[in-house]
Amino acid sequence: MGIKWDEFFVTGDPLIFASQIGIALTMIGALAALTYFKKWNYLWTEWLTTVDHKKIGIMYILMGVLMFVRGGIDGLMMKGQTAVPENEFLNAQHYNEVFTTHGVIMILFVAMPLLIGLMNFVIPLQIGARDVAFPQLNALSFWLTFSGAMLFNISFIIGGSPDAGWTSYFPLAGKEFSPGIGNNFYAVALQIAGAGTLMTGINFVVTVLKMRTKGMTLMKMPMFTWTSFITSIIIVASFPIFTVALALMTFDRTFGTHFFTISGGGMDMLWANLFWLWGHPEVYIVVLPAFGMLSDIISTFARKTLYGYKSMVISIVMISVLSMLVWVHHFFTMGNSAGVNSFFSITTMAIAIPTGVKVFNWLFTMRKGRIKFTTAMLWSLAFVPNFVIGGVTGVMLAMAAADYQYHNTLFLVAHFHYVLIPGVVFPIFAGLYFWWPKMFGYMLNERIGKWHFWLFVIGFNVTFMPMFFLGLDGAVRRAYTYSAETGFGPLMMISAVGSVILAAGFAALVYNIYWSARHADRNIGNDPWDARTLEWATATPVQHYNFASLPDVSKIDAFWHMKKNNEIQPLTEDEIEEIHLPSNTWIPIYMGVIFGISGFLLVFEWTIAAAIAALGIFAGLAFRSFDYDEGFHVHKDEILETERKWRKGANKGVKNHVS
Amino acid sequence: MKKSKLLLVSLTSIMAVLLLSGCENNMVVFNPQGPIARQILELINFSIALMLLVTIVVFGLFAFIVWKYRERKDNMSYEPPEEHGSTVLEIIWTVIPILIIVALTIPTVKTIYAIDEIPQGYEDKEPLVINVTSADWKWIFSYPEQGIETINYVNIPEDRPIDFRLTSAGTMQSFWIPALGGQKYSMAKAETQLYLVADNPGSYVGRNTNFNGQGYAGMEFEVLSQTQKEFDEWVKEVKETAPKMTLSEYEKMLEPSHFGRKTFSNTHLEWVDHSDPHSKNYTNPEMYDRGHGWPGKIFEDKDNYKNKDGNTVNTKHDNSEDMNHNESETDDSHGGEHSGH
């Protein structure tokens, strides 16, 4: 087929042209560097084919941070465009593409990978396991997510980005009003990434249920494990809905069916319902693990066990149930009957009850504690007041009658950023500072960390606080410009300035990662924070088999009690057995690549080529079926040597590196 | 550093209070110009007061605990007690939110039901019906009783309930006049309904809040509230002086475009009612140009207005489309379900 290259590549915009050249040069540079430093083999055996949950977790986190940069630049461009009235930095079409990709990337390719990355790294350690239940499936999850993310990201230089908002409401997102292929990227890329997420959900449900170490009953699990478990259940319950909705969207756009179209008896309202049936639980999928991390971090730095453990567990279960019962609050204004709107108002407000319980439990965990202001703890503390603002405005939005005035305005935008940034991003940062030593064997610098913290928190408030007032004054979301007479100018400018401070805060994090990798102290012991849960009962960085002998648990905060009772001792030879671990495999990354290629062809509606490429998927499945690799054993000598090295220093000396 | 933390917390809360009270006078939602907007504002004010109370209590408790139990040089030897919770306290902070939610639910549900009806005190006044049709990217207002039509502006008599019947010729949009009341979606082949009343003569901004493509930012219209007398005079003048719209003019108007005001002395309802599930489709996919990127397939649409009656449509597309099409055409009851809004 004759390809028109000027349509294949996005042309006509200097910014995009510069990105195209930049991306090409970076890729050539990276390939050249790998070849020059002879790192191909290392990359392939240590990372690309790994099934180790710790390395997969780190790859997720790396991807999340990179995508954060991309989504952040999108956000800055939006703020730049709306800083002054009638600005001409971006035209309507570009602005529409930018806010669409900003939303999708921030939720699905930043929040999700960062959280799933931390879950991957921490959960098996917290429950005293040597890996997740299905290590190879775990690798497949990552590579599908990565493949989807890459497919989605290239849209802005090849083919054109989706431009119907992250919600992609029909009929706008259909071919009748968006004939370009932009929204195909949305349908196909999210389908691939979503399949990966669904597998993660299944994997973690099984892992938590079946892989816990001896004595760790459900009610003795650390809170992060609990929330990740519930999150996985919500994933398993809600992602299939999105899978179906995206499939129908693909049929509508690629084959001309009429599920959501105006013509042929299609039903645009059906999309909104299906989307939010997944979309609202999705919010809790990202918020719940974050809550869990906060619980563990607050308890560590207050030096107290979590207050009201049982009510915490009941709360998260309640939240997960309610999360499936509130989706209509995203479209109170669709002309529902008063009865329907009343019902969903009440279920939505009811979420404030378990959430309130959690906030009070966190506060009372700190009461009578001894609060240490590490960077990780600062992020956890900042969560409380900022999230409360997000929460109370959420209750206001839940009141359907009032929502008629807030809906689709910047008030709503401010609200969900006040929920998602303090509720997800702050805890992720807290988690990164907290678990970084376990991942890499050194800590992130606390001093730069505080710069990161203050710039980010202040920048965040300056960016989003004005939006509440803009919204109440009638400023709507997703509008690329506004006239000077509206009077939105000054507050919009303040908000734009805030976003620059916010970006400076993020830059401080990136600098911190670089600085710490080069200069941070490597001799920090296995438990630098004096922490409470099992992941700290391992070496730093964690030995590849996690635990030489699986720990025996009798209480919540197992490691804390082990330390108190002086249970961590050098192992004797007869305590050690050979450890059986799974081997590396090329199949997951192969599947990621083949899904990416097939998806790309489908996006361009070259359906026959896509179908041929998809045969490769079946080839991968077949290879997997005939794969009889039984894994390998770690020898006793190696275990003894590794354990001797770190257990010497445990329990003394090198603990507190925080000043 | 801990001090500055505390300072930040108190500053944010003070700022919130100040901004809320200080800006109240000029933010449109806080300046209702009609009974519906006023009812909603009462609800909003009540919720703000209650939420402010919650915020202050939590902020206060937070600041107190963080300050009091911070690590200091002189308490490094203090080892916090083992404490697992307190059933009484946990029940207390489960019940308090429940009470707050109940307090909010009652007025919320009342208001939800109230604003679905003609507001109290206006029941005896006969509502003026205005059919609102949204299209890419303009607002079309039809006055069926008066037989006139305006584009991108709407004149209404004061102190009289207006019965807006909303539908769309294309994308989903949201009809919002914040000074007069809340918003509602307009959707193709469906009808939604909204009552609004203006207290006084005046000019208000109305707009679309639901993103619908390139022309979205400009989808504003003026609402001019007049005395009944002025309104009647205006209607009369329109009927005498405004031109009649032709079908082809109307079809042209529904193409994706952006223009200023227009006035006609007839309405498009004589040709098409877009809220009818069996009405023709007025879509023009080939006219949406994003300026860059790969063009996708566009599918044949047999119900499209461009396919005049009696024309045989060429069948170059797949069967599924045919089947869907036939089904919706023959099965009336099935089609009828779509109108139920």
Side-chain angles (χ1 to χ4, degrees):
Chain A
M1 62 198 90
I3 294 177
K4 293 186 204 131
W5 293 104
D6 62 323
E7 288 181 343
F8 183 77
F9 289 107
V10 175
T11 52
D13 186 279
L15 277 176
I16 290 175
F17 186 60
S19 319
Q20 283 164 335
I21 292 174
I23 289 168
L25 289 179
T26 313
M27 279 170 66
I28 293 168
L31 296 181
L34 280 170
T35 312
Y36 182 80
F37 293 108
K38 300 198 171 62
K39 288 289 186 190
W40 278 108
N41 194 38
Y42 163 79
L43 188 69
W44 179 255
T45 53
E46 293 295 314
W47 296 97
L48 302 185
T49 59
T50 188
V51 294
D52 181 342
H53 71 98
K54 299 182 286 299
K55 286 181 176 166
I56 291 171
I58 289 168
M59 288 195 289
Y60 266 117
I61 290 167
L62 181 66
M63 172 186 153
V65 171
L66 288 177
M67 289 292 103
F68 207 140
V69 176
R70 160 76 208 266
I73 290 171
D74 284 343
L76 285 175
M77 283 163 75
M78 288 155 69
K79 289 277 100 188
Q81 164 63 21
T82 54
V84 289
E86 303 186 27
N87 198 0
E88 281 172 7
F89 165 54
L90 298 173
N91 64 25
Q93 179 60 31
H94 276 125
Y95 188 83
N96 298 348
E97 293 177 24
V98 166
F99 75 68
T100 302
T101 52
H102 171 79
V104 173
I105 287 175
M106 283 302 197
I107 291 277
L108 290 156
F109 300 133
V110 176
M112 296 285 286
L114 284 172
L115 289 166
I116 291 179
L118 285 164
M119 275 163 64
N120 252 294
F121 188 89
V122 178
I123 301 302
L125 293 171
Q126 279 198 334
I127 60 174
R130 293 211 171 98
D131 207 320
V132 293
F134 309 112
Q136 199 173 126
L137 186 73
N138 198 23
L140 180 62
S141 290
F142 171 75
W143 287 110
L144 289 185
T145 309
F146 184 77
S147 176
M150 291 303 112
L151 183 59
F152 190 83
N153 268 274
I154 56 160
S155 65
F156 88 106
I157 50 166
I158 295 175
S161 284
D163 55 357
W166 91 280
T167 51
S168 265
Y169 268 22
F170 275 82
L172 174 66
K175 277 289 176 66
E176 291 160 323
F177 301 98
S178 301
I181 59 159
N183 291 304
N184 292 354
F185 274 108
Y186 178 98
V188 177
L190 297 197
Q191 187 70 281
I192 295 172
T197 308
L198 183 55
M199 291 174 201
T200 301
I202 295 167
N203 212 338
F204 276 87
V205 170
V206 180
T207 302
V208 172
L209 285 178
K210 303 296 286 185
M211 305 283 286
R212 278 168 291 132
T213 190
K214 208 176 142 205
M216 183 170 281
T217 58
L218 285 176
M219 291 309 275
K220 287 189 185 120
M221 297 196 302
M223 198 42 67
F224 182 38
T225 303
W226 251 116
T227 55
S228 299
F229 174 55
I230 298 293
T231 293
S232 306
I233 292 174
I234 308 179
I235 288 177
V236 174
S238 68
F239 263 77
I241 304 171
F242 197 41
T243 302
V244 170
L246 286 173
L248 300 184
M249 179 182 193
T250 312
F251 295 156
D252 268 13
R253 292 191 50 89
T254 314
F255 304 107
T257 56
H258 295 283
F259 292 103
F260 310 121
T261 56
I262 291 185
S263 59
M267 183 65 145
D268 47 4
M269 287 169 261
L270 179 62
W271 168 266
N273 277 280
L274 289 176
F275 180 86
W276 287 115
L277 259 167
W278 160 78
H280 197 87
E282 166 68 16
V283 176
Y284 294 92
I285 290 169
V286 292
V287 155
L288 283 181
F291 282 180
M293 293 196 260
L294 288 176
S295 303
D296 289 355
I297 293 169
I298 286 176
S299 146
T300 297
F301 293 111
R303 299 179 71 81
K304 271 184 72 206
T305 192
L306 188 67
Y307 198 89
Y309 182 93
K310 258 189 215 158
S311 60
M312 284 299 220
V313 172
I314 296 168
S315 298
I316 50 178
V317 173
M318 284 304 298
I319 290 176
S320 72
V321 172
L322 287 170
S323 77
M324 306 298 284
L325 296 173
V326 297
W327 79 95
V328 170
H329 73 216
H330 294 275
F331 43 86
F332 280 140
T333 55
M334 204 180 254
N336 320 311
S337 71
V340 168
N341 277 353
S342 300
F343 175 82
F344 283 96
S345 280
I346 294 166
T347 55
T348 306
M349 284 193 272
I351 289 185
I353 300 164
T355 315
V357 171
K358 291 183 79 74
V359 169
F360 279 103
N361 278 336
W362 283 319
L363 289 179
F364 272 67
T365 303
M366 292 191 284
R367 195 183 70 126
K368 293 190 194 163
R370 195 175 91 209
I371 303 168
K372 196 180 192 66
F373 293 97
T374 59
T375 308
M377 187 59 169
L378 282 181
W379 284 113
S380 313
L381 290 176
F383 158 85
V384 176
N386 288 296
F387 188 79
V388 164
I389 296 175
V392 295
T393 50
V395 172
M396 289 166 68
L397 278 154
M399 303 158 69
D403 181 65
Y404 289 5
Q405 288 285 36
Y406 307 136
H407 186 61
N408 275 344
T409 67
L410 292 184
F411 185 89
L412 169 76
V413 175
H415 154 72
F416 70 68
H417 282 90
Y418 262 91
V419 172
L420 288 172
I421 293 179
V424 181
V425 179
F426 287 11
I428 285 173
F429 287 152
L432 287 179
Y433 280 89
F434 186 61
W435 281 300
W436 199 268
K438 272 291 147 207
M439 293 179 202
F440 299 104
Y442 60 88
M443 294 156 93
L444 286 172
N445 183 282
E446 285 283 307
R447 204 181 162 74
I448 308 173
K450 274 161 196 161
W451 275 99
H452 170 208
F453 173 77
W454 286 109
L455 285 170
F456 200 92
V457 172
I458 292 170
F460 157 71
N461 275 289
V462 176
T463 306
F464 293 104
M465 186 58 81
M467 286 196 188
F468 284 119
F469 304 103
L470 283 165
L472 292 171
D473 202 15
V476 295
R477 72 194 293 201
R478 293 173 172 170
Y480 85 107
T481 193
Y482 52 95
S483 64
E485 300 95 76
T486 55
F488 301 154
L491 283 177
M492 286 286 203
M493 180 51 96
I494 292 176
S495 172
V497 171
S499 70
V500 175
I501 304 174
L502 189 68
F506 188 76
L509 170 68
V510 174
Y511 177 69
N512 200 352
I513 294 174
Y514 164 79
W515 189 94
S516 305
R518 294 203 57 169
H519 305 296
D521 183 7
R522 258 64 180 175
N523 181 30
I524 54 168
N526 67 308
D527 179 27
W529 308 117
D530 205 358
R532 313 176 73 85
T533 41
L534 278 182
E535 71 270 30
W536 303 97
T538 57
T540 292
V542 184
Q543 58 273 51
H544 65 105
Y545 51 79
N546 292 3
F547 298 95
S549 65
L550 295 180
D552 199 341
V553 174
S554 57
K555 283 193 174 120
I556 299 172
D557 292 343
F559 179 57
W560 181 258
H561 295 287
M562 283 181 185
K563 281 191 288 190
K564 278 198 164 169
N565 306 332
N566 218 11
E567 281 170 24
I568 297 175
Q569 298 297 336
L571 286 176
T572 54
E573 207 159 332
D574 53 320
E575 282 177 281
I576 291 176
E577 286 172 8
E578 289 202 337
I579 295 170
H580 180 213
L581 289 176
S583 310
N584 284 4
T585 165
W586 55 273
I587 294 174
I589 184 170
Y590 162 81
M591 291 295 264
V593 170
I594 211 80
F595 262 100
I597 293 171
S598 182
F600 182 81
L601 296 169
L602 185 58
V603 164
F604 278 79
E605 298 173 359
W606 298 327
T607 39
I608 296 168
I612 294 169
L615 291 177
I617 296 170
F618 293 97
L621 294 174
F623 274 116
R624 172 72 181 119
S625 305
F626 294 104
D627 180 8
Y628 296 113
D629 190 330
E630 295 283 341
F632 66 97
H633 286 84
V634 187
H635 291 295
K636 271 190 176 184
D637 299 344
E638 190 194 334
I639 301 170
L640 267 175
E641 177 62 26
T642 316
E643 296 299 313
R644 207 166 279 146
K645 252 192 257 164
W646 75 269
R647 283 179 190 240
K648 251 191 327 191
N651 285 342
K652 50 174 146 105
V654 279
K655 259 179 215 162
N656 280 323
H657 273 252
V658 194
S659 47
Chain B
M1 188 224 74
K2 295 147 215 158
K3 254 185 197 166
S4 46
K5 170 85 214 165
L6 203 69
L7 200 71
L8 183 81
V9 172
S10 39
L11 270 183
T12 346
S13 45
I14 292 168
M15 211 171 74
V17 178
L18 281 184
L19 279 169
L20 271 179
S21 53
C23 299
E24 221 168 281
N25 290 335
N26 34 36
M27 283 186 289
V28 61
V29 169
F30 291 96
N31 282 287
Q33 301 297 323
I36 308 247
R38 216 163 23 245
Q39 269 174 304
I40 297 178
L41 179 62
E42 275 165 27
L43 184 67
I44 291 176
N45 281 336
F46 175 64
S47 70
I48 288 179
L50 212 51
M51 290 298 113
L52 219 50
L53 186 73
V54 172
T55 311
I56 290 166
V57 169
V58 177
F59 277 32
L61 193 62
F62 170 76
F64 170 76
I65 288 176
V66 171
W67 180 250
K68 175 146 189 220
Y69 299 102
R70 72 196 189 281
E71 184 174 272
R72 297 183 308 267
K73 286 211 173 63
D74 58 326
N75 73 352
M76 292 301 284
S77 57
Y78 165 69
E79 198 52 44
E82 278 276 322
E83 189 189 32
H84 290 276
S86 147
T87 316
V88 178
L89 280 176
E90 283 161 49
I91 289 173
I92 289 176
W93 59 61
T94 311
V95 170
I96 292 174
I98 291 177
L99 293 179
I100 294 174
I101 299 306
V102 171
L104 286 170
T105 297
I106 296 165
T108 301
V109 172
K110 271 189 188 160
T111 316
I112 291 173
Y113 277 88
I115 58 178
D116 259 10
E117 309 288 328
I118 297 175
Q120 263 182 348
Y122 295 86
E123 295 94 337
D124 51 338
K125 295 190 175 147
E126 192 213 345
L128 172 71
V129 175
I130 299 179
N131 284 66
V132 182
T133 307
S134 59
D136 283 359
W137 292 284
K138 69 274 299 177
W139 289 99
I140 301 163
F141 300 93
S142 322
Y143 298 71
E145 291 154 31
Q146 286 73 17
I148 62 172
E149 187 150 295
T150 60
I151 317 287
N152 290 331
Y153 77 100
V154 58
N155 289 8
I156 55 170
E158 60 163 340
D159 273 334
R160 189 172 156 195
I162 314 294
D163 179 358
F164 287 107
R165 310 260 174 97
L166 314 170
T167 187
S168 168
T171 50
M172 187 188 287
Q173 319 191 351
S174 189
F175 175 82
W176 188 34
I177 308 168
L180 301 185
Q183 59 192 295
K184 207 160 261 189
Y185 287 173
S186 62
M187 293 170 290
K189 310 206 172 177
E191 186 174 271
T192 46
Q193 193 273 342
L194 188 66
Y195 284 116
L196 293 177
V197 185
D199 286 332
N200 299 304
S203 163
Y204 312 111
V205 178
R207 65 158 302 136
N208 171 22
T209 76
N210 200 55
F211 173 66
N212 67 334
Q214 289 187 32
Y216 163 67
M219 271 195 75
E220 286 187 351
F221 55 91
E222 190 202 351
V223 185
L224 186 66
S225 161
Q226 301 169 305
T227 60
Q228 184 69 45
K229 193 167 152 252
E230 281 170 343
F231 178 77
D232 291 338
E233 276 165 18
W234 171 76
V235 170
K236 195 165 158 244
E237 189 195 318
V238 168
K239 293 194 86 142
E240 281 164 7
T241 60
K244 280 213 184 303
M245 172 170 50
T246 63
L247 176 57
S248 64
E249 225 176 327
Y250 181 67
E251 287 173 347
K252 180 89 190 141
M253 219 155 69
L254 291 184
E255 292 172 2
S257 61
H258 204 77
F259 47 75
R261 299 172 174 218
K262 290 186 183 189
T263 314
F264 299 101
S265 56
N266 60 340
T267 77
H268 75 271
L269 298 174
E270 58 187 278
W271 305 300
V272 58
D273 173 5
H274 297 282
S275 68
D276 175 4
H278 301 292
S279 59
K280 282 189 177 299
N281 304 317
Y282 287 77
T283 54
N284 298 284
E286 65 289 347
M287 289 181 188
Y288 291 87
D289 179 18
R290 50 189 285 157
H292 58 254
W294 187 262
K297 274 181 265 184
I298 292 175
F299 301 101
E300 192 73 32
D301 170 16
K302 282 172 210 153
D303 290 336
N304 198 282
Y305 73 100
K306 278 171 276 185
N307 298 325
K308 298 295 179 202
D309 291 336
N311 274 8
T312 45
V313 187
N314 56 9
T315 50
K316 68 175 183 183
H317 280 286
D318 50 330
N319 293 333
S320 64
E321 198 193 8
D322 281 333
M323 281 162 60
N324 267 337
H325 169 68
N326 291 337
E327 206 174 76
S328 67
E329 205 171 50
T330 50
D331 185 0
D332 276 353
S333 65
H334 171 72
E337 281 167 19
H338 300 302
S339 61
H341 288 270

